[in-house]
């Protein structure tokens, strides 16, 4: 008499990707052991420090209200108008922002499964809400929602991601996922080309497994790998997320036969407040993202503009600003506003960052440490290039200056002037493991590595130069869920005597 044993799936990494994989594998009937490099206070990976924003396809208001009936204060309305954000629109946007380099099968899968995955997360207890920061507004009793980026998880401010992690962790524990804290993945064990388990930490402890899902994040927390892949100027960059994403899981998967994918020389980085330290636990606030750049101008320490601050919605462009700042002298910059927009920036986009305020441009220049004559010339040139009128609107672009400001161009001539010091904050890297749409790790021959799966920031092939906000958490959940389910359902453990 024989009895087919339940497959054991080891998931490495307890961020949104790993938790999604663990829950999905457990729901498919597997025994699941979830390894986390850090302690319980480190649960959540980079998702814990995010804004909790999910980009997903939908056909209209009914799809949105099937997920949530929650509204931020002042957003509730009797009727919702929400033009569709289709799968085709999602695919087109991500492909355009990757310069056409993203793996088409992965992009299509992400878009196609996004709505169902948000519903799956909501069923696990994650609460979503309609929010105003991304352009939604109530007019004449109607909530008008622009396509895409409409829901965030509930919470305060712009760092809401732990409210994604908290209920998902509770659900994982409730359904029987075994979690081992302070248990870093050291090696993926394999025999005759098939994964057989993992080595944990430096102790030499091994854990047999029928399949392994690598969800350990990128390599952004490794100073050596930043220098090797991103360049020497990134060695001392400030981290916006987990300090545990040092690329260990990626390297273990590559040693087990997986192939590389994506661009290893690019990353997600935003402008952040340099006075805030990198987070030491998943409930700590990360360096606050200074996303108000589109309402003013960015200047370097020489008092000169260096980037188009308004090529589109801020959520499509904020991850460009960190990279642009890294190319400036001293890898620093200043966001400058006048009284047209300073109050809105302080309320929505600056967090606890302390502004530098001055009544005149020369006084502001002195206080932020840039040459007064250059800053005065820069702002005068910018003001002259702005279209006439006093409003702040999307359709206003500058004329005959380089760099242009494509949208939201209004002169800075209403004192007091306000500046925020900004540096680059590194969130995650873009290169990683090659996978197929169901989360199987692929070898250099394009065939799956038996028993090896990967998802989230540990994989490459989706993001290149840039990506739309909300796509990163969506990627984590879609492919984490897929990898866990595939690992559990296609694993055939050998029978043993009962």
């Amino acid at each position: 008499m024989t009895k087919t044993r339940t497959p054991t799936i080891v998931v490495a990494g307890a961020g949104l990707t790993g938790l999604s994989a663990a829950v999905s594998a457990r729901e498919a009937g597997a025994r699941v052991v979830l390894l986390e490099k850090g302690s319980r206070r480190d649960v959540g990976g980079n998702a814990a420090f995010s804004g909790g924003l999910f980009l997903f396809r939908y056909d209209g208001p009914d799809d949105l209200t099937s997920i949530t009936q929650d509204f931020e204060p002042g957003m509730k309305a009797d009727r919702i108008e929400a033009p569709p954000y289709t799968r085709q629109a999602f695919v087109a946007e991500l492909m355009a922002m990757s310069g056409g380099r993203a793996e088409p099968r992965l992009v299509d899968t992400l878009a196609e499964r996004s709505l169902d995955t948000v519903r799956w997360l909501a069923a696990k207890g994650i609460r979503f809400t309609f929010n105003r920061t991304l352009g939604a507004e109530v007019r004449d009793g109607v909530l008008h929602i622009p396509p895409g980026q409409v829901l965030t998880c509930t919470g305060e401010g712009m760092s809401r991601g732990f409210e994604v992690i908290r209920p998902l962790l509770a659900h994982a524990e409730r359904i029987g996922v075994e979690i081992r804290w302070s248990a870093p993945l050291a090696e993926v064990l394999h025999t005759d080309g098939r994964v057989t388990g993992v080595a944990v930490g430096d102790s030499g402890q091994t854990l047999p497994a029928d399949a392994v899902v690598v969800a350990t994040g990128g390599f952004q927390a490794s100073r050596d790998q930043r220098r090797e892949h991103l360049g020497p100027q990134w060695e001392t960059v400030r981290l916006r997320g987990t300090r545990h994403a040092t690329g260990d899981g990626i390297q273990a998967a590559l040693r087990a036969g997986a192939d590389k994918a994506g661009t290893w020389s690019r990353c997600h980085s935003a402008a952040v407040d340099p006075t805030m330290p990198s987070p030491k636990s998943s409930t700590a606030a990360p360096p606050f993202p200074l996303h108000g750049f589109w309402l003013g101008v960015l200047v370097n320490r020489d008092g000169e503009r260096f980037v188009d601050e308004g090529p589109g919605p801020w959520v499509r462009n904020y991850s460009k600003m960190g990279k642009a700042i890294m190319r400036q002298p001293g890898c620093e910059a200043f966001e400058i506003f006048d009284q047209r927009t300073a109050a809105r920036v302080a309320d929505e986009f600056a967090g606890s960052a302390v502004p530098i305020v001055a009544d005149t441009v020369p006084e502001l220049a002195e206080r932020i440490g840039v040459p007064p004559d250059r800053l005065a010339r820069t702002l005068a040139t910018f003001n002259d290039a702005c279209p006439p009128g006093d409003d702040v609107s999307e359709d206003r672009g500058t004329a005959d200056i380089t760099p242009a400001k494509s949208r939201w161009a209004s002169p800075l001539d209403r004192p007091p002037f306000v500046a925020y010091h900004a540096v680059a904050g590194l969130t995650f890297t873009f290169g990683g493991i090659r996978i197929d749409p169901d989360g199987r790790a692929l070898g250099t021959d394009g065939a799956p590595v038996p028993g090896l799966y990967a998802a989230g920031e540990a994989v490459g092939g989706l993001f290149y130069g840039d990506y739309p906000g909300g796509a990163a958490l969506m990627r984590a959940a879609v492919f984490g869920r897929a990898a866990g389910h595939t690992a559990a359902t296609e694993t055939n453990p050998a029978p043993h005597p009962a």
Side-chain angles (χ1 to χ4, degrees), residues 157 273 324 404 470:
D273 173 12

Side-chain angles (χ1 to χ4, degrees), residues 14 26 51 78 107 130 187 209 214 235 241 285 373 382 390 408 415 442 468 487:
R26 183 66 180 148
D78 296 330
V107 174
F130 292 95
E187 204 68 55
V214 176
E235 279 191 66
D373 55 340
F382 173 79
D390 291 333
W408 308 101
L442 304 179

Side-chain angles (χ1 to χ4, degrees), residues 122-173:
K124 306 295 179 282
I126 296 172
R127 292 181 57 192
F128 295 92
T129 183
F130 292 95
N131 65 89
R132 66 168 54 82
T133 17
L134 304 169
E137 59 179 348
V138 176
R139 299 194 304 271
D140 300 324
V142 178
L143 176 58
H144 296 268
I145 298 173
Q149 284 100 15
V150 293
L151 300 182
T152 65
C153 60
T154 56
E156 297 295 328
M158 297 187 72
S159 298
R160 306 179 175 194
F162 195 68
E163 298 308 316
V164 176
I165 300 302
R166 191 196 311 272
L168 197 56
L169 173 63
H171 182 77
E173 293 177 322

Side-chain angles (χ1 to χ4, degrees), residues 102-320:
E103 167 57 48
R105 294 192 305 159
L106 298 182
V107 174
D108 193 68
T109 298
L110 176 62
E112 178 59 33
R113 298 178 185 175
S114 59
L115 174 59
D116 182 63
T117 300
V118 174
R119 288 172 171 159
W120 180 79
L121 291 171
K124 306 295 179 282
I126 296 172
R127 292 181 57 192
F128 295 92
T129 183
F130 292 95
N131 65 89
R132 66 168 54 82
T133 17
L134 304 169
E137 59 179 348
V138 176
R139 299 194 304 271
D140 300 324
V142 178
L143 176 58
H144 296 268
I145 298 173
Q149 284 100 15
V150 293
L151 300 182
T152 65
C153 60
T154 56
E156 297 295 328
M158 297 187 72
S159 298
R160 306 179 175 194
F162 195 68
E163 298 308 316
V164 176
I165 300 302
R166 191 196 311 272
L168 197 56
L169 173 63
H171 182 77
E173 293 177 322
R174 189 163 53 246
I175 65 175
V177 172
E178 177 186 342
I179 305 177
R180 301 189 184 183
W181 306 104
S182 301
L185 173 67
E187 204 68 55
V188 175
L189 306 177
H190 51 100
T191 302
D192 298 328
R194 179 171 184 87
V195 167
T196 58
V198 297
V200 182
D202 299 326
S203 64
Q205 175 191 2
T206 61
L207 179 62
D210 298 294
V212 173
V213 180
V214 176
T216 51
F219 58 82
Q220 66 273 4
S222 167
R223 182 171 182 146
D224 290 342
Q225 291 192 59
R226 291 200 304 269
R227 181 178 63 249
E228 177 184 356
H229 298 294
L230 302 180
Q233 71 273 27
W234 292 88
E235 279 191 66
T236 58
V237 71
R238 188 174 300 269
L239 292 180
R240 290 183 63 212
T242 175
R243 67 193 187 282
H244 292 301
T246 54
D248 303 344
I250 297 174
Q251 295 302 320
L254 298 181
R255 289 191 295 270
D259 191 17
K260 291 182 177 181
T263 174
W264 287 59
S265 61
R266 302 297 294 273
C267 61
H268 174 295
S269 61
V272 300
D273 173 12
T275 66
M276 291 187 66
S278 296
K280 301 300 183 184
S281 72
S282 56
T283 56
F288 198 87
L290 299 173
H291 290 338
F293 55 86
W294 57 285
L295 291 168
V297 298
L298 266 170
V299 302
N300 59 23
R301 62 162 54 166
D302 293 327
E304 298 175 345
R305 290 180 61 244
F306 55 88
V307 69
D308 182 351
E309 300 92 348
W314 71 262
V315 76
R316 303 297 204 276
N317 296 286
Y318 71 99
S319 64
K320 295 177 181 177

